[in-house]
Amino acid sequence: MILVTGATGNVGRHVLDLLVAGGHAVRALSRSPQEAVWPAEVDVVAGDLAAPASLDAALAGVESVFLFAVPGSGPAFVAAAQRAGVRRVVLLSSGGVDDEAEVQDGPIAAYHAEIEQALRGSGLAWTFLRPDVFAANSLMWAGQTRSGDVIRGAHAEAASAPVHEADIAAVAAAALTEDGHAGQVYRLTGPQSLSHADQAAILGRALGRPIRYAELPAETVRQAMSAHVPGPILDNIFTTWAASVGRTAPTTTDIEKVTGRPARSYHDWALDHAAAF
Ligand SMILES: NC(=O)c1ccc[n+]([C@@H]2O[C@H](COP(=O)([O-])OP(=O)(O)OC[C@H]3O[C@@H](n4cnc5c(N)ncnc54)[C@H](OP(=O)(O)O)[C@@H]3O)[C@@H](O)[C@H]2O)c1
């Protein structure tokens, strides 16, 4: 049995579908399972990674886990996994984690690194997926593109190599079901470094409309986002954007190495999600 946590999320829902399509026995964990629609083949359990007492039932009979990173949850998850006899864990970590750093650069990298650390010392066979920025972050622009052709946001020239969530999931499914991935750290990127302005233009091509990115002062955007995102995380996002302005984001071929297929492009992602925009 494979347990998929974060199963209602951008990545987890694809992991679930790939495992079901591959004929694997799958259990999905959600804090509110009644609010989602699940494939008939999936065993669904209510559970919360921040409430370790709920994990024993979820982990009973489980051999492998796709793990969503809830801040601070590493040690209790590891203890529950060891009690249940889990053998393999594939963690959805972050591209921000830096193995060379004594102190991680910001809270996002720090809490993912803490969970990695708990797994490294656990005796479980672990695989870490460290994605770059998700292409799915662009969904935050959907409200603007539904009402016009201009995306207003911060740092037009901030660069990343946005990665399709289905590619992250394909690597996860391979690591959960094949041998040879234990102890591996996969740095998952899209095929190309793109600025926010580039992404807007590509989105426009996919939608058949001339979409452009209009830069606003970072502080204006930060204020608007502060209603939904906690302050320290928001600071982390804006610091990362500012630091990447005018840079070329590194790309890797880890997705192709693991799945045998090149990473999907941002244009592919935009076509897959055109309806949202
Ligand atoms: N966005 C990016 O650019 C980016 C880049 C690199 C890494 N990441 C990392 O990738 C992850 C985001 O993945 P995603 O986009 O697939 O997720 P998502 O769409 O944001 O969904 C969050 C998922 O986590 C589950 N979840 C949240 N808190 C939980 C808890 N306490 N116990 C159990 N499940 C919990 C939710 O399940 P229920 O609500 O059903 O319980 C949901 O399935 C984060 O760790 C993020 O740091 C993101």
Side-chain angles (χ1 to χ4, degrees), residues 44 93 104 109 153 160 173 183 187 190 203 206 231 234 241 264 269:
V44 182
S93 186
Q104 296 295 322
S160 63
R187 181 78 176 84
L203 193 53
L234 205 52
W241 280 346
R264 291 160 169 95
W269 181 88

Side-chain angles (χ1 to χ4, degrees), residues 135-195:
N137 292 358
S138 305
L139 290 169
M140 71 179 165
W141 299 333
Q144 299 193 65
T145 58
R146 282 200 294 269
S147 59
D149 289 343
V150 181
I151 295 168
R152 292 183 173 80
H155 296 303
E157 295 309 320
S160 63
V163 57
H164 196 309
E165 61 277 4
D167 282 334
I168 305 170
V171 174
L176 286 162
T177 59
E178 298 169 358
D179 290 333
H181 301 287
Q184 297 295 316
V185 177
Y186 295 123
R187 181 78 176 84
L188 306 178
T189 74
Q192 212 183 351
S193 174
L194 298 170
S195 67

